[in-house]
Amino acid sequence: MNIKRSILLRVRIAFLVAVLFVLAVVYKLVEVQMIDGDHWREMAQQSSLDYRTIKATRGNIYADGGDLLATSLPFYKLAFDPSLVDDKTFTSKIDSLSYLLSKFFRDHSSDYYKKKISEARQMKSRYLVLNRELVNYQDRLEMLQWPIFRKGQMRGGVIFEKEDERHRPFRRLAQRTVGSLDNEGRGLVGVEASFEDYLAGKNGEGLFQRVAGGNWKPVNASTDVRPIDGYDVHTTIDINLQDVAQNALLRAVSTYEAEYGVVVLMEVKTGEIKAISNLERTSSGGYAELYNHAVGTNNDPGSTFKLASMLALLEAGKVDLSDTVDTGEGTIEFFDRTLTDVKNGGYGKITVQEVFEKSSNVGIAKLVVDHFGDDPQEYVDLIKRTGYGKPLGFQLLGEGEPLIKGPDDPEWYGTTLPWMSVGYETNLTPLQTLAFYNAVANDGKMIQPILIKSINRANKPVETFKAKVLNKKIASDETLEKLRLMLEGVVERGTAKNVRNEHYKIAGKTGTAQRLVNGRYMTQSYYASFAGYFPAEDPLYSCIVVIDNPKGWNRYGGDVSAPVFKEIADMIYAQNLEIHDSFTPEYTAANNGTFPVIRAGRLEELNELCNLLGISNHPNQEAGEWVRSSVNNNAITWRKNHEDTGLVPDVEGMTLRDAIYILENIGLKVSISGNGRVKRQSLGPGVRASKGRTIELELG
């Protein structure tokens, strides 16, 4: 019996303890919920509040003329606090709101949205993401007129959380130069990185509340610090010229399967870069802007450096253009190395000017070694005195460090002087070489190339930039005049005569250097370039083109780089009516002799007219509906004149009826002055034809 009583007593004690524990738990729950509920709710509210960063809107990047190169477009995440809506409004408008959500996002039915919102309201949820898809600013304005939402955030519960996305309207145009952002929204490369302090603005700070799902809801407290948006950066880039330069470069690197290509186009007087393109071969075989080689890649410049060698020779009074040099059979030995000319058998005895025009390595090296061999420091000093070989202090980060050796350099050898004279054993970027050529075109004034014109707040500049003068005069007027004559001679008679034309003069120099790969020069791998300016008589633009490691039979600068230069120059010539006559020889050719005034128009009509007049005429193989005339012996040949490619066509020489028909069909507005045929057009052929843009036609 004692054992039974003992067990029963223990059971009763355990039961009593359990009852007391349950009563204590119940009491504590009542105390927390009812007695101290307000206190704990306040503590929970406070612990879920935090000040968080409100990101500033990043500034825009503009091209010259106001075209947007990069902008931050506002997008919004749509959320909802259903607890803020009064019962009457919610009951009467929830169906309409659900229908509009379903119609807009097109992902769920209106019943789905109604159920989702109603359940959140019943659970007293304070934050409900209605859809993860971001909406744009116009969509946001539309949604603010929807039922319930139109009452705003405080009474309608609608929450729009802003998220900026960087957008480049012209996509790949000057993509690497404009730059990109990292995962944190900071500038990574290009203008975006170089002008990060201006573009980024200043972030603000606001009070946010943590809600279900770990999300943060803005409280919109009076203590919020509003962000300060970034400044706008205005560049010197001309969109039309950038488009022309990039497309011309793309065709060249694609044709020659090059490793990469570079084009930089600059205004001679201002130093403003109007186009800059860097196209590099990708793993898939296409081309993209992966690195700014124009600014950051050093190379042996090759024969473009011969201009600096000639400057040193002329400035020191060592030679004159009419002096002669015996280049022999095109080879010359310096110690244990042999320097050769491109032409087998050499050029024999030629003048100094011909040495430059033909780009004779033997001739240049002989001149430099003969006159500076005893004092190579004089040669180096004459070149460095110009500013060539010094950093430009360019506005973008990552400028390559230039190198022009001196006799005190530990890597100066007995063969350094002759090899340097023709563009080897130096390291220079394309932009640094362009600055030197631009100085020759600019009456000897070397200026710093610039890409950024101003920093603006709205439309008001807060800081402006102009090209700094790096050297007021790189050489005497006499030397400069001789350098210009030689550069013109290269195109008229020398290694770039393939880009000579009858409409305007180009002055420039070809360059072909063996590529240095893993410390060794590759005999069948070249760095082909062309640097120069135009029009030669009154230079407006300077330009450099580089094609790295072109494939095929013709791999020299004159073959692959100079034609890109000419294509860009031709386009500028066509657009700029101030630098050419109204009628080119090609357009007036059909007016000579017994031929009537027939220049351009519809093939069918012109053919019928010529047949009536008894004039022999026939189209070439590429002629289409619209043609232009040219004289071939005693007959007229019709060649293709217009293609519907979204670019401005060439309508000079056409009748007004035909010109208006073509131009208005591609969306241009036509303004007319004068009488007769089209004499001039304000938008040059090949410019992007933006719908609604006005083109002025001068008739005569």
Side-chain angles (χ1 to χ4, degrees):
M1 291 293 295
N2 290 336
I3 294 176
K4 290 182 178 180
R5 287 178 181 176
S6 176
I7 293 173
L8 182 61
L9 178 61
R10 291 176 183 176
V11 170
R12 287 174 178 174
I13 292 173
F15 177 76
L16 180 62
V17 170
V19 170
L20 291 174
F21 177 77
V22 171
L23 290 175
V25 171
V26 171
Y27 172 78
K28 197 62 179 178
L29 287 172
V30 171
E31 180 183 34
V32 170
Q33 291 287 338
M34 308 299 295
I35 301 174
D36 298 328
D38 292 339
H39 168 73
W40 291 113
R41 275 188 287 272
E42 183 178 352
M43 290 290 290
Q45 178 81 354
Q46 290 178 356
S47 65
S48 66
L49 295 176
D50 190 18
Y51 280 97
R52 297 174 65 84
T53 298
I54 302 175
K55 285 190 175 182
T57 297
R58 194 172 181 84
N60 298 325
I61 301 175
Y62 289 94
D64 190 21
D67 294 300
L68 268 174
L69 293 174
T71 186
S72 290
L73 297 180
F75 288 86
Y76 302 88
K77 181 168 66 176
L78 176 60
F80 188 41
D81 182 351
S83 67
L84 294 177
V85 187
D86 63 83
D87 292 338
K88 181 179 179 181
T89 301
F90 186 86
T91 302
S92 61
K93 302 297 183 181
I94 184 60
D95 287 331
S96 299
L97 178 61
S98 300
Y99 170 76
L100 290 171
L101 288 168
S102 175
K103 183 179 179 182
F104 181 86
F105 289 112
R106 298 177 180 274
D107 57 348
H108 297 291
S109 66
S110 58
D111 289 340
Y112 168 86
Y113 281 106
K114 180 178 179 180
K115 181 180 179 182
K116 181 177 182 178
I117 295 171
S118 298
E119 289 178 351
R121 180 177 171 86
Q122 290 174 3
M123 297 176 64
K124 301 187 183 301
S125 172
R126 301 295 304 275
Y127 183 87
L128 172 67
V129 177
L130 293 174
N131 199 290
R132 294 290 176 183
E133 181 181 335
L134 298 179
V135 299
N136 62 33
Y137 180 75
Q138 294 300 325
D139 294 334
R140 174 180 175 271
L141 294 180
E142 178 185 340
M143 289 176 171
L144 285 173
Q145 304 304 315
W146 286 3
I148 301 179
F149 287 179
R150 66 170 62 103
K151 290 181 174 289
Q153 182 171 342
M154 302 309 296
R155 292 192 301 143
V158 64
I159 302 169
F160 287 100
E161 296 184 25
K162 185 181 176 184
E163 296 184 15
D164 288 335
E165 288 189 3
R166 205 63 169 164
H167 176 64
R168 288 192 298 268
F170 290 96
R171 301 180 67 187
R172 295 187 176 184
L173 276 185
Q175 180 178 346
R176 183 55 174 71
T177 301
V178 173
S180 57
L181 308 181
D182 62 18
N183 294 333
E184 301 298 322
R186 294 185 297 264
L188 187 63
V189 294
V191 176
E192 296 278 22
S194 302
F195 288 81
E196 168 69 18
D197 291 343
Y198 291 101
L199 290 164
K202 186 175 181 181
N203 292 335
E205 189 177 60
L207 188 62
F208 285 74
Q209 179 183 0
R210 185 187 292 274
V211 294
N215 295 301
W216 290 89
K217 169 187 169 182
V219 176
N220 294 324
S222 59
T223 55
D224 288 356
V225 178
R226 296 181 62 84
I228 300 174
D229 293 342
Y231 291 98
D232 295 332
V233 174
H234 288 253
T235 74
T236 61
I237 296 293
D238 183 304
I239 283 297
N240 285 325
L241 296 182
Q242 178 69 36
D243 190 28
V244 169
Q246 191 156 318
N247 284 326
L249 182 63
L250 178 60
R251 281 190 287 272
V253 293
S254 299
T255 298
Y256 295 101
E257 299 179 357
E259 295 300 319
Y260 69 82
V262 169
V263 166
V264 186
L265 177 72
M266 184 167 73
E267 281 187 349
V268 169
K269 300 298 182 185
T270 66
E272 293 185 1
I273 292 176
K274 293 302 175 184
I276 177 170
S277 182
N278 300 268
L279 295 176
E280 187 170 346
R281 191 174 182 85
T282 65
S283 58
S284 62
Y287 287 89
E289 290 211 318
L290 305 178
Y291 183 75
N292 200 330
H293 294 282
V295 175
T297 299
N298 299 67
N299 256 309
D300 293 314
S303 295
T304 56
F305 192 79
K306 291 174 181 174
L307 185 67
S309 294
M310 290 305 305
L311 180 145
L313 288 163
L314 292 168
E315 194 69 358
K318 307 288 188 182
V319 299
D320 202 355
L321 300 188
S322 58
D323 293 346
T324 58
V325 183
D326 187 0
T327 65
E329 296 182 356
T331 64
I332 186 171
E333 291 186 359
F334 294 98
F335 296 94
D336 60 340
R337 297 178 67 185
T338 301
L339 192 65
T340 63
D341 280 335
V342 172
K343 182 182 177 183
N344 291 329
Y347 300 105
K349 194 172 185 179
I350 54 178
T351 65
V352 169
Q353 178 151 345
E354 288 175 321
V355 165
F356 189 81
E357 291 174 357
K358 299 178 185 299
S359 198
S360 170
N361 293 329
V362 172
I364 292 287
K366 282 188 70 173
L367 287 170
V368 170
V369 172
D370 287 349
H371 294 290
F372 294 109
D374 293 335
D375 187 7
Q377 188 64 54
E378 181 186 6
Y379 168 78
V380 174
D381 289 344
L382 283 166
I383 294 175
K384 286 190 173 182
R385 193 181 301 163
T386 68
Y388 195 24
K390 296 179 181 178
L392 298 171
F394 190 55
Q395 292 169 312
L396 293 189
L397 300 172
E399 180 185 357
E401 187 69 27
L403 171 65
I404 295 180
K405 293 179 183 178
D408 57 347
D409 191 291
E411 294 188 359
W412 182 279
Y413 306 108
T415 56
T416 295
L417 183 60
W419 258 257
M420 179 190 292
S421 70
V422 297
Y424 288 97
E425 298 195 34
T426 58
N427 270 300
L428 297 158
T429 68
L431 189 61
Q432 290 158 0
T433 294
L434 178 61
F436 178 65
Y437 274 73
N438 192 81
V440 174
N442 195 24
D443 295 324
K445 183 191 292 186
M446 180 178 281
I447 55 179
Q448 176 192 55
I450 64 168
L451 184 69
I452 308 301
K453 294 174 67 174
S454 67
I455 307 295
N456 289 21
R457 171 69 73 190
N459 292 323
K460 295 182 179 180
V462 296
E463 189 171 353
T464 57
F465 303 94
K466 289 187 178 180
K468 297 177 182 177
V469 177
L470 303 177
N471 189 337
K472 292 181 180 179
K473 198 80 169 177
I474 66 169
S476 67
D477 289 334
E478 182 181 0
T479 295
L480 290 168
E481 179 61 28
K482 292 175 180 178
L483 293 177
R484 287 192 284 263
L485 285 173
M486 287 190 295
L487 289 170
E488 290 177 33
V490 170
V491 178
E492 294 297 311
R493 299 172 295 277
T495 55
K497 62 184 177 183
N498 56 311
V499 299
R500 179 182 177 276
N501 68 88
E502 297 177 356
H503 311 311
Y504 64 95
K505 281 189 175 182
I506 294 173
K509 182 69 185 75
T510 57
T512 308
Q514 293 178 1
R515 296 172 71 240
L516 187 65
V517 179
N518 298 324
R520 296 182 61 186
Y521 285 104
M522 308 297 290
T523 57
Q524 297 299 318
S525 182
Y526 299 110
Y527 178 85
S529 60
F530 185 86
Y533 53 86
F534 63 94
E537 302 87 344
D538 185 16
L540 294 178
Y541 295 93
S542 60
C543 181
I544 187 167
V545 179
V546 171
I547 307 292
D548 183 64
N549 195 22
K551 311 298 190 301
W553 291 104
N554 296 322
R555 292 172 288 175
Y556 299 110
D559 299 316
V560 299
S561 300
V564 177
F565 183 106
K566 183 178 183 296
E567 184 175 344
I568 297 168
D570 283 347
M571 184 58 65
I572 293 175
Y573 174 80
Q575 292 182 37
N576 194 330
L577 300 179
E578 296 178 1
I579 62 175
H580 63 92
D581 296 330
S582 303
F583 302 104
T584 64
E586 186 177 16
Y587 291 167
T588 58
N591 302 330
N592 298 330
T594 60
F595 292 104
V597 180
I598 300 173
R599 299 193 190 114
R602 193 189 295 270
L603 175 60
E604 182 179 355
E605 295 175 352
L606 295 178
N607 176 254
E608 183 177 354
L609 175 62
C610 286
N611 289 341
L612 287 173
L613 295 173
I615 299 173
S616 175
N617 68 100
H618 52 84
N620 65 16
Q621 293 181 348
E622 297 180 353
E625 180 182 9
W626 297 95
V627 294
R628 184 168 294 280
S629 64
S630 61
V631 174
N632 185 8
N633 294 323
N634 291 320
I636 290 177
T637 298
W638 307 116
R639 57 183 177 78
K640 183 186 294 186
N641 184 49
H642 169 63
E643 293 183 30
D644 185 15
T645 59
L647 303 178
V648 174
D650 184 356
V651 297
E652 290 188 15
M654 285 189 179
T655 63
L656 180 59
R657 182 198 65 175
D658 288 344
I660 290 177
Y661 175 82
I662 291 175
L663 295 171
E664 290 189 346
N665 270 347
I666 61 173
L668 293 173
K669 295 180 180 179
V670 181
S671 173
I672 307 163
S673 63
N675 297 293
R677 293 175 179 268
V678 178
K679 183 179 179 181
R680 292 189 181 93
Q681 59 185 83
S682 62
L683 301 178
V687 175
R688 192 182 299 278
S690 303
K691 288 190 177 181
R693 191 174 182 182
T694 299
I695 181 171
E696 299 176 3
L697 301 182
E698 181 182 340
L699 310 181

